[in-house]
Amino acid sequence: MKELIAALLGVLALYIPVGDCVQEFEQRPMNKSVIEGQNVMLECSVRDLAGALQWSKGGIMLGLNPSLPGFARYSIISNTPSQYNLMIESSRLSDDSYYECQASPAGGNPPLKAKAYLTVQVPPEQPEILGYRNASTVALSPDDNQLIMICEVRNGHPAATIEWYRNGNLVVENVRYSSEPTMSGNKLMTARSTITISNIADHHNSIYMCRAKNDALGNNWMQTFVKLNVLSPPGTPEITGYSSGQVIREGDTVRLLCVSRGGNPLPQVKWYRNSEQIDISYTTDSVDARSLNEYTFSVRREDNDAVYRCEASNTASAAPLTSEVSLNVYFPPQSATIRGGGTPVKAGQQVTLTCESSLSNPKAVITWYSRGKIITANSDTVYNPGNNGGFTSRSSVTVTMSEQENNAMYICNAVSDNRAPVATANVTLSVLYPPGAPTIEGYSDSDHVVEDRAARMTCKSVGGNPTATLRWFKGNEPLVSVSSTSGNMVTSELSFLPTPGDNNAIYRCEATNSAINLPLTAVVKLNVYFAPKSVNVSMNPAQPVSGQPLNLYCTSESSNPPATIVWIKNHDQTREIRGVTEGTRPAPNGGSSTTSRLEIMPSSSDHNATYYCKAKNEYINKSTSDGLRISIQFGPVFEPSIALIEMIEKESKTFEMRAVANPTSITYTLYKGGQQSSSFTPNNGKLVISNVRREEAGNYSLKATNSIGSAYHHFQVKVKFPAEITRFQGTVYANEGESASIICGVNGNPVVDNMASWSRPGFDMSKTNQVYSNSERLSQITIHDLLRTDSGKFICTADNKVSPPKRREASLVVRYFAGIDKSRQYAKAGGKHGDTVTLTCKAEGTPDMAFTWSREGEQLQTDSKFAIRSTSASSIFDTHFVSKLTVRGISKADYGTYTCIARNDRGEDQFNIQLNGTSKPDPPYDMTFVNSTKNSITFSWKPGFNGGLDQEFQIQYQRKGSTVVTTTSIDVDKSADRIVHTIKGLELGHEYKIDVLAINELGKTWDEQQFSAKTAVSSGSNTGDSATPATRQSGDDTPVMIILVVCIVGICLLALNIALIFFFVRRRRKRLSHNGTSNHTNALELYAPGKENTYPMYPKTPSDEYNSYGTYEKNMDDLSDDFRNYEHIDQKSTSTHSSNIQCNCYTVRVSSRVNRGSCCLVPESSGSSGDEDVKRVFLPPPAYRPYTPNKLDSPHLSTHKAYLSDSRSYIDDDRETSWQYEDPYRIKGRKGTFDPAYDHGSQTVLDTENDRYYEETRPKSITDLSERSSRPPSRSVNYRTTPPPPPPVRSSSKGAAMNYVNHTAPPLPDRNYDAEEVQQNYNPRYTPSPGSIASFSNNPNVITNPNYDGPPMHASRTNVVPDDMRGHLV
C-alpha cells in the first residue's frame, strides 16, 4: 500500500508546473549520537520542495504519511513547510543505523538525498576482573613467576574503553585490549583488557584497579579493584621465660613466651606439652612484624621432665617451625603410708612396720619416731624410680609386743629437701583382751511397740581390745544395725518397723572380739500392738422388705488387743451405731477376732443405703472398715415436688412429679376434686401442661402405684392472664370551665392494686383526680376546670405485670368558642377593578364552626359574584376554621365593608372586613426576640395587610457602632400568621439594630418598632433578655428641629474653639514682639519668676499628696522647641544683640541635629544682665521643688553651678550663700535631709591656683557642710584637668528624662536626648523621671507599649563629655 501511495505521489509530481525555483536542501541531516532510551530528532528541511519528501532507515523507506504507520516510535515533526524532521522516541539499539532524507524529482527538479548515521549508545555493565570479586585480596606465593588478570566489560555500545591502575598510577605496559560482539549478530560489545604482572614479590600490597567507560557514560568511570598479597614463611620461634636445667618447684607460676618474627601473613603460634596442643591464643604485632603467644601456668609435679614445644606456621610455610624446653620440677612426697601394726596381737609377738613415701623429686629421706625418740630402721632406705622422673622411698622397723607397747604410736616422716613439706604417717599398736557382756536399752518386758511405728533398741558393750563387735538377730535371722565406738564402749542401734508378725518374737544381741571364742548375748521378747486388717459384713434375710426386721453381722480379723466394733450408715461419721458384741476368739499373730450384730427395721429411706462396720484398736487408735449396700423393697414415695403451679394462659410447661419405689414399675393417675381428670398428662413422673386455660385452674392429686403400695402428691394450679380493658368510654364532651369524667373497666389474674391507670403525655396530671376500685376493677379519671387546651386523648393503661400493658385512648373534647382572628392582615382586602379578591375569616372553637357572610345587613350566598368556601372539622379535635369569601370581577360598587359571622354551640362573633383598592402594605408589627447564638439572631413578627398585592419582606440590620447597613430579601410563607427568621453570619457578642420592611409594587413600609438584639458571647444560645425593642418614628416624622439644633450647637462650639486658638496665638505673638528678644530670651523670661507669671514654673513647696499637675503642664507644653544643647564652650567672642547692644557671645558646639551657632548674653552694663537671665533658667529659687505625681518617679534635685568662663567659673559664684535643698526623692533615708551636693554624693570644685578640678564628697550634715566651707580641700581628692561641662540649654519641652549621675545642675526643662546621652552607671537610690525610658524598664507597675519606640533618635554625637549635665521638666 505504501508503494502504491508513493507511485501516485510521483505521478502527481510530474504534473506540477515548473517554476523558477529549484528544490534544494536547506538543512541536511547530521550524524548524531543518543543514549538508549532518550529521544532524538534528525533535522531535514528542503527549500522550494517540488517532489515528495520521505525518510529511509537502512535503505527501507518509512513512508510518506507524517505519522509513519508501522513505526510507533517514529514521527515527522514539521514546524515550517520546509521542515521534515524525523523524531525517534525512546531510542533503542535497533535504531542504530543510517537514515536518509529523500526528496523525489518533480517538475524538472532532480532528486535530493542526504544521509546521516544515528549511533545509539548503551552503557556497559560493571567491569569485572575475571576470577576475582571486587575489593577482594589475591594471595600469591613469592615463587610464582607472573600473574595474569583479565578485566571484562560486557554489553556496551560502543565497546568500552578500559584502563589499568596500580596504586593510583596508570599502567600501560604488558596490557592488551580487545573487543568483540557479545553475541553473534548483536551490536552490543564486550571489551577485555589483559594485564601481565611479573616479579610478584615486588607487588606485595599493591592495589590494581580496572576502570571502564564508553560514550554513553560521558566522563563517568566504572571501576573494580583487587589487592595483591604476596605470602612468605615466618622465622624460627624463640622461647623465653625458662632456661634449661633451671629448678622450679611445684606450685610456681611459669610464663613461657614464644615469639616468631616475619612472615606474610604473620604466623600462627601454638604451644604443645608433650606433643599435646595446649594453647592457640596468639597475638600479632604488625608494626614489629611478629606473632606472640604467652602461656602462663602453675607448675605441677607432672610437669617434671615435660617438654613444652612452640610451633610457628603460616600458609607459606611448608612445615611448622619449632622450639622447645624441658622442665626440671622439684616436688615433695604427697603422702607416707605404714604397713603392719594395724591389728591387735598378743604379747610376746613381733610386729614389722614398713613406711613408704609417694613419688618425690629429689629422693625423700625417711625417719622413724616413737615416744619422742628417733627409732633406728632395720636397714637403709630403698629408692624406686617412678613416673614423671620421681622416686619412692621405703624403710622398715621391727617391734616386740609387750604390755608397755599397748597403744604405743610409731611415726615416720618423709622429706625430699629442706624447703619441701614433710609427709607423715603413724600407727598405734595394741594388745588383745575380751569385751564386757552386752546390755539392751530402749525396750523391756513390760513395754510394747506399735505396728508400722518406728522402734529403736540399743545394744552396748564396754571394754575389750579390740572393742567388741555387736550384731542383732531376730530368732536366728541376722538384722542390719548401726554401730559406733566411743572410747572403749561400743554401741549398736537397731531401728525397725514392727509388724503383726513381730508379736512375741525374740530379739538377740551378740558381742564378740578376737580375744574370745563364744559370743556374749542379751535377749528381749516383743509385744506388738496391731489393728485388724479387714472386717467381714453380712445380713439376714438376704432380701429385706420395708417394715420387716433385718440383722447385720460384722466379724473383724486378728487384733492385739481385741478390736471394738461400731456401725455407720452412709458415711455419716457423726452418728456411730453400737451393735451387740457376741464375743472374741483367738486369731493369728497372737491376736483376737471380734463379732458384732446390728438389728434394724428398714424403710424406703434405707433403700440402697450402705451400712459400714468399723473395727478399731482403741489402744493405738487405728481402725479398718467395710460396708454392705442393702436393697429394700417398698411402695411409691414422691420426691419433693412443686405444690403450686402458676402459669400464664395458653402457656405450656412440663413439671417433675416423680415417685421412687422398689420395684420401680409405677403407674400414675391424675385426680381433680376427687374425680379422675384428663386436663393434664402424667408421663413417667412428668406432668405435661399444654395451652393451659383459665378454666383449668384448681386443686389436683397425682397417684403413684406399684406392687407394694400407692402414694399421693397434692398440688394447686393457678392460671394467670393479662389485664384487659372490658369497659371503656371512647369520646367524652364537656364545656370549658366544667369537669369531665372518663371510666375504664379492667379484668385480669392476678388482680393487683391500681391495675388500671390514666396518662396523657405532656399534660399536667395534677389537675386530674384518678380513682380505682379493686372490687369493681374500675378506674375513673376526672379533669377539673377544663380549658380549651385540655382537649386531647387520655390513655387508659391496664397492667397486672403478666404481659405487656394494654392501652386504649379516650378522646376528651372541650367545647368552647374563642371568636374570630381579627389580626390586621385579615381586617382589609384590596384589589384592582376586575380582579378577583378573597376575604379571609378565621375562627377558633369546637365543635364545628358555622360561617355566614353579609354586606350592609344582607346575607351573601354563593352565586356568580360571590363564592363562599368554609372548612369543616376533619377530626373532633379541630379548633381552627376558615371561611373565605371570593368576590369576582370587583368594581367600585363592590368596595365597602363585609361582615363575617362565626358561631357554634358555645357562642358567636362577627368581624368587619374592609374591601378597598390596592395600596402600600401595612407595616409589620409585634416583633419578638426568639433566640441568639454566637453568630446568629432569630426573631419573629406578624405581617400587616399586604395592600391587596403580593408582598415580600426585607431585613435590614446594623451592628451598633458601625455605619454599615446590610439589607437582605427573604422568602417567607405568605399564608403564615407569624413569620420567623434567622440572621446568620453575625459577630460574637455584638448588639444589632434590626428592621423589617414590607414591600409590594406600590411601595414599602417599615416595622412599627426598631428591634435591637445581641449575639451570644459563647458557643451556647441566648433566649433571655438579649433584645430591646424601641418605638420607631417613621422617616416622615423625623424631628427636623432637633437635628437642626444639634448642628447649630456643633457649629458654635467649633467657632468658639477657633476663636480661642486664634486669641492665644495672637497673644503669644504680641508677647514675643513686645519683648523683642530671640527664642532664648523668651524661654528665659518664661522660666523666670515674675509678677506677670501667674503660674510660675516652680510651685512653692507642694505637699507630698499634691497630685494635680495639669496647670503647669499646659505652660510647659507652650515652651519653644528651639533650645540647643550646648555641650562644650569652644571659644568666647563678642557680638551685637538684635537691639544694637553689645553682648558676650559664646560659640558652642551643638549636637549633630542643629547647626553651629552663637548665643549672646546682654552685658551687665546694659541694665539687663545676661547672667541673671541664665540664672532664671538654670537656677531655681530656694523654694523650688518641682511637682511629681510619684516621688519615686521624679527627677533628682541637686545644687547647681553653671560654668561660664575662666574669670567666672560659675554664674552663681557671687551669691552669698549656697541654697539648701530638701531631697524628697530619696528611696531610702528620712524625709527632710539637707543635701547640697548632687545625687552621687560629690560635687565638682575648681582649684583656681592649680588650675584643676576635684570631686568633693557629700557632707553628712549641716555642721559638716559648714566645716567644709571654712577649710581648703587639703585632703585626698580626685583631681582632673578637664573642666566640668557647661550648662545645657533646653531643646524640647518633651522627651525622655535622663539619669543625673555625676551632674551638678538641677533638673532642666525636658527635651529629646540622644541614645548616647543615657548614662549607664546611674545611682540606683533614685528612680527616673515620669515617662522616661528607665522608669518604664524598672517600674513593675508600668506596662510598656510594644509599638512605641520612644522619641526619634538623632545622629550620634562625638566627643561627649561623660559628666554632661542634663535637665528635666516635669
Side-chain angles (χ1 to χ4, degrees):
M1 188 66 183
K2 293 181 180 180
E3 290 78 6
L4 180 58
I5 294 174
L8 293 175
L9 291 176
V11 173
L12 291 175
L14 297 176
Y15 292 91
I16 297 176
V18 180
D20 295 334
C21 298
V22 179
Q23 64 181 8
E24 59 181 350
F25 280 110
E26 187 176 56
Q27 181 178 1
R28 292 177 175 271
M30 306 293 291
N31 294 336
K32 285 192 174 184
S33 297
V34 64
I35 299 176
E36 185 179 27
Q38 297 180 353
N39 299 341
V40 65
M41 181 183 290
L42 299 177
E43 295 86 356
C44 178
S45 59
V46 177
R47 186 185 298 113
D48 298 327
L49 178 64
L53 191 61
Q54 63 175 331
W55 282 88
S56 68
K57 172 189 174 184
I60 300 175
M61 306 305 293
L62 301 181
L64 298 173
N65 190 338
S67 62
L68 300 181
F71 300 92
R73 295 182 295 107
Y74 294 4
S75 61
I76 302 299
I77 305 299
S78 298
N79 296 324
T80 62
S82 62
Q83 280 187 349
Y84 203 75
N85 299 334
L86 176 61
M87 169 63 74
I88 301 176
E89 299 177 355
S90 302
S91 60
R92 302 175 183 172
L93 187 59
S94 59
D95 298 328
D96 187 276
S97 180
Y98 281 102
Y99 291 83
E100 188 175 59
C101 179
Q102 301 177 0
S104 62
N109 287 282
L112 299 178
K113 293 183 180 181
K115 286 185 178 181
Y117 194 87
L118 177 62
T119 301
V120 178
Q121 300 172 351
V122 179
E125 296 178 359
Q126 186 73 19
E128 177 185 359
I129 300 176
L130 299 182
Y132 306 104
R133 290 177 312 189
N134 184 32
S136 62
T137 300
V138 180
L140 300 174
S141 172
D143 299 331
D144 295 339
N145 295 327
Q146 64 179 10
L147 173 65
I148 299 176
M149 292 189 294
I150 301 174
C151 181
E152 187 174 82
V153 184
R154 305 183 186 92
N155 296 327
H157 186 265
T161 300
I162 302 176
E163 294 179 351
W164 284 94
Y165 286 83
R166 177 192 176 194
N167 297 331
N169 299 317
L170 180 64
V171 178
V172 295
E173 295 180 355
N174 300 323
V175 176
R176 300 191 311 274
Y177 175 83
S178 64
S179 63
E180 62 183 7
T182 302
M183 295 177 60
S184 178
N186 193 344
K187 292 185 178 183
L188 294 178
M189 301 295 290
T190 296
R192 294 184 184 85
S193 179
T194 304
I195 185 171
T196 301
I197 303 172
S198 302
N199 298 325
I200 297 299
D202 298 336
H203 295 270
H204 179 58
N205 286 335
S206 295
I207 295 177
Y208 277 84
M209 181 176 64
C210 170
R211 295 204 317 168
K213 73 169 185 175
N214 69 354
D215 295 340
L217 296 176
N219 292 324
N220 298 320
W221 290 83
M222 298 185 297
Q223 63 186 28
T224 183
F225 70 92
V226 295
K227 181 178 181 181
L228 303 187
N229 186 21
V230 182
L231 307 179
S232 61
T236 302
E238 300 174 0
I239 298 177
T240 58
Y242 182 82
S243 57
S244 298
Q246 179 182 351
V247 174
I248 56 178
R249 299 181 180 275
E250 182 180 21
D252 290 350
T253 299
V254 175
R255 293 180 175 84
L256 298 180
L257 177 64
C258 180
V259 179
S260 177
R261 304 179 187 278
N264 180 38
L266 292 176
Q268 295 181 349
V269 180
K270 303 178 183 179
W271 278 104
Y272 292 82
R273 179 182 180 274
N274 295 333
S275 301
E276 181 182 352
Q277 183 175 288
I278 56 175
D279 187 14
I280 61 172
S281 58
Y282 69 95
T283 60
T284 60
D285 184 355
S286 58
V287 176
D288 295 335
R290 62 178 182 168
S291 294
L292 307 91
N293 188 339
E294 182 180 61
Y295 179 63
T296 302
F297 61 98
S298 179
V299 177
R300 300 176 299 163
R301 63 183 57 232
E302 292 81 7
D303 291 327
N304 187 37
D305 294 336
V307 176
Y308 281 81
R309 184 176 76 254
C310 173
E311 291 186 357
S313 64
N314 66 3
T315 56
S317 57
L321 302 176
T322 64
S323 294
E324 62 183 27
V325 293
S326 180
L327 303 186
N328 182 17
V329 180
Y330 276 15
F331 56 92
Q334 290 182 330
S335 63
T337 59
I338 297 178
R339 296 194 306 272
T343 59
V345 296
K346 296 178 181 180
Q349 294 180 350
Q350 287 186 340
V351 177
T352 300
L353 304 178
T354 301
C355 179
E356 185 173 0
S357 68
S358 61
L359 291 173
S360 67
N361 182 31
K363 303 171 184 177
V365 177
I366 296 177
T367 305
W368 287 92
Y369 297 89
S370 179
R371 300 182 184 91
K373 297 180 180 180
I374 298 176
I375 305 299
T376 303
N378 294 340
S379 60
D380 295 335
T381 302
V382 179
Y383 302 102
N384 296 315
N387 297 330
N388 302 323
F391 296 88
T392 62
S393 301
R394 186 171 67 249
S395 176
S396 300
V397 295
T398 300
V399 179
T400 301
M401 298 299 294
S402 64
E403 292 182 0
Q404 291 77 13
E405 296 297 331
N406 188 35
N407 292 329
M409 179 181 291
Y410 283 79
I411 302 171
C412 81
N413 291 339
V415 59
S416 58
D417 65 273
N418 56 358
R419 293 177 56 187
V422 179
T424 301
N426 63 77
V427 64
T428 301
L429 303 181
S430 64
V431 180
L432 295 176
Y433 59 88
T439 61
I440 296 177
E441 297 178 357
Y443 186 84
S444 64
D445 292 339
S446 61
D447 292 338
H448 70 272
V449 295
V450 180
E451 66 168 335
D452 297 332
R453 188 177 300 172
R456 182 180 296 111
M457 293 185 294
T458 303
C459 180
K460 293 183 179 180
S461 176
V462 179
N465 188 28
T467 56
T469 301
L470 302 179
R471 292 190 299 169
W472 282 92
F473 294 89
K474 176 184 176 183
N476 295 322
E477 179 184 355
L479 302 177
V480 178
S481 62
V482 177
S483 299
S484 62
T485 301
S486 176
N488 64 345
M489 183 177 67
V490 179
T491 61
S492 179
E493 186 177 84
L494 176 65
S495 298
F496 62 99
L497 288 176
T499 65
D502 292 331
N503 189 32
N504 298 326
I506 302 298
Y507 280 78
R508 183 176 73 254
C509 176
E510 293 183 352
T512 61
N513 73 353
S514 56
I516 59 177
N517 296 324
L518 295 176
L520 305 176
T521 64
V523 177
V524 294
K525 183 180 180 180
L526 288 185
N527 182 16
V528 180
Y529 282 6
F530 58 92
K533 300 302 180 184
S534 64
V535 294
N536 182 27
V537 184
S538 61
M539 67 180 177
N540 186 31
Q543 178 57 61
V545 178
S546 176
Q548 298 179 8
L550 175 65
N551 289 312
L552 302 178
Y553 297 92
C554 177
T555 301
S556 70
E557 289 189 356
S558 180
S559 174
N560 183 33
T564 302
I565 296 178
V566 295
W567 295 87
I568 298 173
K569 181 181 179 181
N570 292 333
H571 299 287
D572 187 1
Q573 300 288 342
T574 61
R575 294 184 59 192
E576 292 184 346
I577 305 172
R578 295 284 178 174
V580 178
T581 302
E582 296 188 343
T584 62
R585 59 181 177 83
N589 300 322
S592 301
S593 175
T594 304
T595 301
S596 176
R597 178 176 59 85
L598 177 66
E599 183 177 352
I600 63 174
M601 187 65 69
S603 65
S604 61
S605 61
D606 293 321
H607 179 60
N608 289 331
T610 301
Y611 280 84
Y612 291 92
C613 168
K614 179 179 178 182
K616 181 178 181 181
N617 188 326
E618 299 289 348
Y619 292 92
I620 63 176
N621 195 26
K622 193 173 182 180
S623 63
T624 184
S625 63
D626 194 6
L628 179 64
R629 184 175 182 180
I630 60 177
S631 175
I632 308 296
Q633 289 188 349
F634 60 93
V637 177
F638 276 98
E639 296 178 349
S641 303
I642 187 170
L644 175 61
I645 297 176
E646 292 183 341
M647 297 180 64
I648 300 175
E649 190 175 23
K650 297 183 180 180
E651 188 178 15
S652 297
K653 284 186 178 180
T654 300
F655 299 92
E656 291 285 343
M657 291 187 180
R658 187 181 304 277
V660 294
N662 188 22
T664 58
S665 177
I666 303 175
T667 302
Y668 293 92
T669 307
L670 181 66
Y671 294 88
K672 180 181 182 184
Q675 302 292 326
Q676 188 172 347
S677 173
S678 60
S679 298
F680 314 131
T681 303
N683 184 11
N684 292 330
K686 294 184 179 181
L687 182 65
V688 180
I689 302 177
S690 300
N691 295 323
V692 66
R693 303 187 307 276
R694 64 185 69 178
E695 297 83 7
E696 294 176 333
N699 296 319
Y700 290 83
S701 297
L702 183 62
K703 179 181 179 183
T705 304
N706 75 346
S707 60
I708 303 300
S710 300
Y712 289 89
H713 173 64
H714 305 286
F715 62 94
Q716 182 183 7
V717 176
K718 292 183 178 181
V719 180
K720 297 180 180 180
F721 53 91
E724 56 189 7
I725 299 175
T726 59
R727 183 181 174 189
F728 194 70
Q729 288 178 289
T731 304
V732 175
Y733 291 89
N735 296 329
E736 188 176 21
E738 298 177 355
S739 298
S741 298
I742 313 174
I743 62 174
C744 178
V746 295
N747 186 26
N749 185 32
V751 177
V752 298
D753 293 339
N754 297 322
M755 193 160 56
S757 62
W758 290 90
S759 62
R760 178 178 171 182
F763 187 77
D764 183 11
M765 298 300 290
S766 63
K767 63 184 296 184
T768 66
N769 182 26
Q770 298 188 45
V771 178
Y772 177 75
S773 173
N774 285 329
S775 60
E776 298 181 4
R777 300 179 185 178
L778 187 69
S779 177
Q780 177 177 304
I781 183 173
T782 302
I783 304 96
H784 303 283
D785 300 327
L786 289 173
L787 301 176
R788 63 189 62 178
T789 56
D790 293 341
S791 294
K793 294 183 178 182
F794 287 83
I795 302 172
C796 175
T797 302
D799 186 15
N800 63 350
K801 309 302 181 183
V802 174
S803 64
K806 300 293 191 302
R807 295 180 175 84
R808 289 189 64 181
E809 294 180 344
S811 299
L812 171 63
V813 181
V814 180
R815 293 190 290 258
Y816 73 96
F817 181 77
I820 298 175
D821 184 1
K822 299 178 181 180
S823 299
R824 299 179 188 179
Q825 60 263 44
Y826 304 121
K828 296 179 182 179
K832 301 177 183 178
H833 287 279
D835 289 348
T836 297
V837 179
T838 299
L839 285 68
T840 302
C841 181
K842 294 185 176 182
E844 180 183 357
T846 187
D848 207 352
M849 194 76 62
F851 292 93
T852 59
W853 288 86
S854 65
R855 181 186 180 194
E856 297 177 357
E858 180 180 356
Q859 185 173 349
L860 302 178
Q861 302 293 333
T862 297
D863 54 18
S864 60
K865 184 67 175 179
F866 301 100
I868 299 175
R869 298 192 310 277
S870 300
T871 60
S872 58
S874 60
S875 71
I876 59 176
F877 297 112
D878 282 350
T879 59
H880 292 79
F881 302 90
V882 179
S883 180
K884 294 185 178 181
L885 173 65
T886 300
V887 183
R888 303 183 183 94
I890 64 173
S891 61
K892 185 176 182 181
D894 296 325
Y895 294 143
T897 302
Y898 291 80
T899 301
C900 171
I901 300 174
R903 65 173 62 85
N904 69 358
D905 295 344
R906 301 295 298 163
E908 70 175 44
D909 192 11
Q910 68 178 21
F911 182 37
N912 294 329
I913 302 174
Q914 190 71 28
L915 176 60
N916 293 316
T918 58
S919 65
K920 293 194 302 181
D922 290 352
Y925 67 100
D926 192 17
M927 293 186 64
T928 304
F929 172 78
V930 177
N931 187 25
S932 68
T933 65
K934 63 181 181 180
N935 59 359
S936 68
I937 296 175
T938 302
F939 60 98
S940 66
W941 71 91
K942 286 186 176 181
F945 171 55
N946 60 8
L949 300 170
D950 289 339
Q951 70 173 346
E952 62 181 16
F953 295 93
Q954 285 185 349
I955 306 297
Q956 288 188 354
Y957 57 92
Q958 179 183 5
R959 181 169 60 82
K960 188 174 182 180
S962 174
T963 59
V964 178
V965 178
T966 303
T967 302
T968 59
S969 297
I970 62 173
D971 293 329
V972 298
D973 182 6
K974 298 178 181 179
S975 63
D977 294 338
R978 175 173 287 276
I979 300 173
V980 180
H981 180 68
T982 300
I983 303 176
K984 299 180 180 179
L986 305 180
E987 296 182 17
L988 174 70
H990 283 278
E991 183 177 350
Y992 287 84
K993 297 178 180 180
I994 303 172
D995 290 316
V996 180
L997 287 76
I999 304 172
N1000 66 10
E1001 64 184 39
L1002 296 181
K1004 60 183 178 180
T1005 56
W1006 296 81
D1007 52 349
E1008 292 184 348
Q1009 290 180 329
Q1010 187 179 43
F1011 182 74
S1012 296
K1014 190 175 182 180
T1015 54
V1017 295
S1018 65
S1019 59
S1021 61
N1022 290 338
T1023 56
D1025 299 333
S1026 296
T1028 305
T1031 304
R1032 165 184 291 282
Q1033 291 183 348
S1034 64
D1036 297 337
D1037 299 329
T1038 303
V1040 179
M1041 185 59 67
I1042 294 177
I1043 297 176
L1044 184 60
V1045 170
V1046 171
C1047 293
I1048 293 174
V1049 170
I1051 293 173
C1052 292
L1053 291 176
L1054 179 61
L1056 179 61
N1057 287 332
I1058 295 174
L1060 288 175
I1061 293 172
F1062 179 79
F1063 170 77
F1064 285 112
V1065 171
R1066 185 176 179 83
R1067 177 185 175 189
R1068 189 165 183 269
R1069 288 179 179 176
K1070 285 183 178 181
R1071 291 178 60 188
L1072 293 176
S1073 61
H1074 176 73
N1075 293 334
T1077 61
S1078 66
N1079 290 336
H1080 303 276
T1081 306
N1082 292 335
L1084 296 177
E1085 292 179 352
L1086 179 62
Y1087 282 91
K1091 297 180 180 180
E1092 71 282 3
N1093 193 349
T1094 306
Y1095 304 104
M1097 172 182 170
Y1098 305 114
K1100 295 183 179 182
T1101 61
S1103 64
D1104 292 343
E1105 292 79 15
Y1106 190 84
N1107 293 323
S1108 175
Y1109 57 91
T1111 304
Y1112 305 108
E1113 184 179 6
K1114 179 177 179 181
N1115 286 334
M1116 289 184 286
D1117 289 340
D1118 290 338
L1119 297 178
S1120 172
D1121 224 3
D1122 296 333
F1123 290 94
R1124 295 178 175 87
N1125 181 18
Y1126 291 85
E1127 294 187 352
H1128 188 68
I1129 299 177
D1130 292 341
Q1131 60 182 358
K1132 177 179 179 182
S1133 63
T1134 302
S1135 63
T1136 303
H1137 194 267
S1138 58
S1139 59
N1140 296 323
I1141 299 176
Q1142 187 176 4
C1143 62
N1144 293 327
C1145 294
Y1146 298 87
T1147 302
V1148 298
R1149 176 167 50 85
V1150 299
S1151 61
S1152 59
R1153 55 192 166 95
V1154 298
N1155 297 325
R1156 297 176 59 88
S1158 299
C1159 173
C1160 291
L1161 299 178
V1162 180
E1164 297 180 1
S1165 60
S1166 63
S1168 176
S1169 175
D1171 291 353
E1172 291 298 321
D1173 290 339
V1174 173
K1175 292 176 184 179
R1176 293 189 187 102
V1177 175
F1178 298 107
L1179 298 180
Y1184 164 71
R1185 182 183 181 188
Y1187 163 75
T1188 172
N1190 184 349
K1191 292 190 293 182
L1192 299 182
D1193 294 337
S1194 299
H1196 166 65
L1197 301 180
S1198 64
T1199 59
H1200 172 72
K1201 289 186 178 183
Y1203 173 78
L1204 291 179
S1205 65
D1206 296 336
S1207 62
R1208 293 182 61 191
S1209 301
Y1210 297 90
I1211 61 177
D1212 58 346
D1213 282 347
D1214 57 346
R1215 297 190 179 185
E1216 296 180 359
T1217 60
S1218 60
W1219 295 341
Q1220 303 290 324
Y1221 290 103
E1222 179 185 0
D1223 185 0
Y1225 307 117
R1226 292 281 301 275
I1227 297 178
K1228 297 182 181 179
R1230 189 173 57 189
K1231 176 183 176 184
T1233 301
F1234 287 87
D1235 195 349
Y1238 46 82
D1239 60 350
H1240 190 57
S1242 63
Q1243 61 181 352
T1244 303
V1245 180
L1246 173 65
D1247 185 355
T1248 56
E1249 295 179 0
N1250 300 320
D1251 192 23
R1252 50 184 183 170
Y1253 304 85
Y1254 66 90
E1255 299 264 333
E1256 182 174 274
T1257 59
R1258 175 191 299 163
K1260 299 180 180 179
S1261 64
I1262 299 177
T1263 305
D1264 187 15
L1265 176 65
S1266 62
E1267 290 176 358
R1268 292 187 184 187
S1269 61
S1270 63
R1271 66 172 180 262
S1274 59
R1275 286 176 293 185
S1276 174
V1277 295
N1278 298 324
Y1279 286 95
R1280 62 185 182 186
T1281 57
T1282 304
V1289 179
R1290 182 180 179 278
S1291 63
S1292 174
S1293 62
K1294 298 181 181 180
M1298 300 302 296
N1299 189 1
Y1300 305 104
V1301 180
N1302 299 329
H1303 286 238
T1304 59
L1308 298 180
D1310 196 7
R1311 63 177 178 82
N1312 293 332
Y1313 292 90
D1314 291 343
E1316 297 87 344
E1317 300 179 33
V1318 181
Q1319 298 294 328
Q1320 300 299 327
N1321 56 346
Y1322 62 87
N1323 192 331
R1325 294 180 302 162
Y1326 298 94
T1327 57
S1329 61
S1332 68
I1333 299 174
S1335 68
F1336 284 128
S1337 62
N1338 294 307
N1339 192 343
N1341 300 319
V1342 177
I1343 300 176
T1344 59
N1345 183 0
N1347 298 321
Y1348 176 67
D1349 297 331
M1353 307 305 291
H1354 307 290
S1356 61
R1357 182 179 296 122
T1358 59
N1359 300 326
V1360 177
V1361 180
D1363 294 329
D1364 193 7
M1365 182 165 52
R1366 296 292 180 264
H1368 180 76
L1369 175 62
V1370 179

